[in-house]
Amino acid sequence: MRAPTFALLICTSHAATQTDYAQYVNPFWGTVGSIPNYTFGGGAVFVGAAVPFGVVKLTMDTFVKNTSIAALQGGYTPNGLITGFSMMHESGTGGCSKYGVISQMPLTTIEAPVNLLDNRTYWQGRIGEDAASVGYFKTKLENGVTTELSATRHAGFYEYDFPAQEKKHVLVDVSHYLPNVVGGYCTQTYREGEIKISKNRNSYQGHGTYAGGFNEGAPYTVYFCGEFETAPDEAEIFTGRNQFPGFNSMNPEPLPWPTFASQNITTPQGSRVGAVFTWRGNATTVRSKVGISFISEEKACRFKDDEIGSWDIQSTVDAAAQEWNRDVFSKIRVDTGEDANKDNLAMLYSSLYFMHLIPSDRTGENPIWESEEPYWDDFYTLWDTFRNTISLSHLIQPEAYESQIRSLIDVWRHQGYMPDGRSGNDNGLVQGGSNSDNVLADAYAKGLRGKINWSDGYAAMVKSAEVPTNGSNKEGR
């Protein structure tokens, strides 16, 4: 069969944007390793809704009981038990889990034995096969709730179809995060949070602070702003002692039951907090939009309102697919006619899809320092991506490529070293030295100039080479 012909585009033509290359993407590639139905040994990839280099990567969070073959880094696992659907994830990573924060979970009951502080009492298996395409994810839980997801750069769209029954619930657990199944030094932790419910109960705002994970990172705070299409009939805030079930050897006491309040309450510093929203009646569909920001609740609300203008999930899905086609897939055009090798098309466009999930473009969302430079996070990790992904970006994503390099140098200006890995607004880890040096050297040798301050770039490389970090694996050499 005739092999496809590749053509690299420096600019996108009108004809290119009319081709739906997104149809060839298989979002499930890399989800299964050598053991059928298990992610362990596979790619630990993100499977869910996202736009290119988006801050939001919305999908399920799961737990696998056989922890010896569990790999939870991307949130998604083929047969894991669902504990929530959260806004932030990494993709294609090893080591300890990172993110899985700012979540919702649809429940058909919150009566005992369900304990909202213990997700083992309400986690859900799945019915049938999951479905996913570019900008879209769908699954059906054992409790009968079908969940559909889509996303923009800073916001997520949730649509739940409940079975016909009197009560429908959506749980918002601010303390939710992806666990590290074996515990240890890089386990994530929830530090503190807050949630407030509007008077008409149809919206909520707050923040959560988390730390640790793969890069053993410092605490970071995510602000959120959620809204429901239809106001719930009931809404309650709950609080409880901060103890993640099963992973706190320092406090072996059983988890307590939550304390509820119908009004916004002040909780002790570090307490777990959340809210549960309840709808009565015959309607079975619940829709929600959630925006997130690293700066403020107000900015999270603006992202939600500006980026998702409709309660029609298909509009958000279509916009995401159009962005992927325009900004990513159309950069490399091949023959997609009847004689084209469909396996090769899937390999090409699926690979382009996964390589554009990270890093995350957080320009304008840097909570640590003010700068005119771009800001990127989730370099996960440069010791891998410098070998091919970043070099390809030089050809097909020159603006993003230059922007990322400027961000790497700006991290050095304000935090002392360029990262080898970076996530949650903090450097970490390193492997075999600082591979940001390789990124800069490759770009300079190939003639990239633009707005990059190469004098500072060289100084950053010299710092990595000559100033030791006393054995730290956070940054430098």
Side-chain angles (χ1 to χ4, degrees):
M1 183 172 291
R2 180 164 56 91
T5 301
F6 291 78
L8 295 179
L9 299 184
I10 302 303
C11 59
T12 304
S13 68
H14 176 74
T17 60
Q18 300 306 303
T19 302
D20 181 23
Y21 300 101
Q23 65 181 299
Y24 303 112
V25 173
N26 181 351
F28 292 101
W29 276 18
T31 58
V32 178
S34 58
I35 303 174
N37 295 321
Y38 283 89
T39 304
F40 182 78
V45 297
F46 164 82
V47 181
V51 298
F53 302 127
V55 176
V56 168
K57 297 172 183 64
L58 176 56
T59 191
M60 64 172 67
D61 294 328
T62 58
F63 186 82
V64 176
K65 290 184 177 180
N66 187 346
T67 58
S68 66
I69 53 174
L72 310 179
Q73 295 93 335
Y76 178 89
T77 55
N79 64 350
L81 296 162
I82 298 174
T83 61
F85 297 89
S86 65
M87 299 282 284
M88 294 183 64
H89 294 87
E90 299 287 9
S91 181
T93 60
C96 295
S97 303
K98 185 77 177 185
Y99 297 143
V101 299
I102 315 303
S103 72
Q104 291 187 2
M105 181 66 179
L107 301 174
T108 54
T109 180
I110 57 173
E111 302 298 324
V114 171
N115 179 352
L116 299 182
L117 296 179
D118 187 349
N119 58 33
R120 296 170 298 183
T121 67
Y122 61 76
W123 58 22
Q124 294 288 313
R126 281 164 273 175
I127 299 173
E129 298 292 328
D130 300 324
S133 59
V134 171
Y136 176 77
F137 182 81
K138 179 180 180 180
T139 191
K140 186 172 184 178
L141 311 185
E142 283 185 335
N143 62 13
V145 181
T146 297
T147 300
E148 297 178 82
L149 309 172
S150 190
T152 62
R153 188 156 303 279
H154 306 93
F157 194 117
Y158 297 79
E159 181 165 317
Y160 307 112
D161 185 15
F162 284 83
Q165 61 182 58
E166 174 59 21
K167 290 185 178 182
K168 284 76 63 175
H169 312 278
V170 171
L171 166 66
V172 177
D173 182 1
V174 179
S175 63
H176 177 92
Y177 58 84
L178 278 172
N180 176 28
V181 294
V182 296
Y185 63 93
C186 59
T187 295
Q188 292 197 91
T189 59
Y190 162 79
R191 296 300 182 88
E192 61 89 24
E194 179 187 31
I195 188 167
K196 299 166 290 186
I197 300 174
S198 64
K199 290 183 178 180
N200 63 359
R201 300 184 299 275
N202 78 322
S203 64
Y204 62 92
Q205 299 179 29
H207 73 272
T209 300
Y210 316 88
F214 174 84
N215 67 325
E216 304 169 36
Y220 64 94
T221 297
V222 183
Y223 299 90
F224 56 84
C225 178
E227 178 185 1
F228 296 104
E229 179 186 29
T230 303
D233 297 291
E234 302 172 20
E236 290 184 295
I237 289 175
F238 65 86
T239 183
R241 188 178 72 240
N242 184 7
Q243 178 185 350
F244 193 86
F247 296 99
N248 191 335
S249 60
M250 300 300 292
N251 190 346
E253 299 176 12
L255 283 169
W257 290 85
T259 300
F260 287 92
S262 58
Q263 302 294 325
N264 296 328
I265 57 175
T266 300
T267 59
Q269 180 75 11
S271 294
R272 293 180 62 184
V273 293
V276 60
F277 301 86
T278 301
W279 290 259
R280 299 178 181 271
N282 297 325
T284 59
T285 300
V286 174
R287 298 183 180 92
S288 179
K289 308 173 187 177
V290 181
I292 61 172
S293 170
F294 286 83
I295 304 300
S296 68
E297 296 172 16
E298 292 74 20
K299 198 169 183 182
C301 291
R302 289 201 302 272
F303 284 142
K304 169 182 66 69
D305 296 337
D306 293 346
E307 296 184 6
I308 304 180
S310 166
W311 286 106
D312 175 19
I313 191 172
Q314 192 60 47
S315 297
T316 304
V317 174
D318 291 344
Q322 290 169 10
E323 185 171 347
W324 279 99
N325 278 323
R326 181 188 67 241
D327 296 344
V328 176
F329 303 141
S330 64
K331 303 296 183 179
I332 299 181
R333 290 185 289 168
V334 300
D335 177 17
T336 60
E338 293 183 0
D339 295 333
N341 186 314
K342 297 303 187 289
D343 289 338
N344 285 343
L345 290 174
M347 290 175 62
L348 171 62
Y349 290 107
S350 298
S351 297
L352 285 172
Y353 172 77
F354 285 114
M355 70 170 282
H356 285 82
L357 288 174
I358 55 174
S360 303
D361 185 356
R362 298 214 193 124
T363 300
E365 281 284 293
N366 184 347
I368 305 176
W369 67 85
E370 294 185 4
S371 174
E372 296 298 320
E373 291 294 280
Y375 182 65
W376 292 70
D377 200 22
D378 301 325
F379 289 101
Y380 221 100
T381 57
L382 292 175
W383 66 70
D384 291 321
T385 57
F386 89 90
R387 304 172 191 277
N388 44 47
T389 298
I390 290 177
S391 297
L392 182 59
S393 293
H394 193 169
L395 296 175
I396 66 173
Q397 298 291 350
E399 292 182 2
Y401 180 61
E402 178 184 329
S403 180
Q404 291 167 22
I405 291 175
R406 291 170 61 190
S407 179
L408 292 174
I409 297 171
D410 209 38
V411 170
W412 161 79
R413 289 191 190 101
H414 294 275
Q415 295 193 312
Y417 286 90
M418 292 189 295
D420 200 10
R422 184 177 178 88
S423 189
N425 302 312
D426 197 25
N427 285 355
L429 303 170
V430 294
Q431 181 170 295
S434 177
N435 289 282
S436 54
D437 299 348
N438 292 325
V439 174
L440 267 64
D442 184 54
Y444 188 84
K446 291 176 179 175
L448 182 65
R449 297 297 182 265
K451 296 182 179 180
I452 298 172
N453 185 327
W454 280 111
S455 295
D456 281 0
Y458 179 72
M461 295 171 68
V462 171
K463 173 76 175 290
S464 294
E466 296 185 353
V467 181
T469 56
N470 299 319
S472 169
N473 63 353
K474 175 181 174 65
E475 55 202 359
R477 294 179 184 270

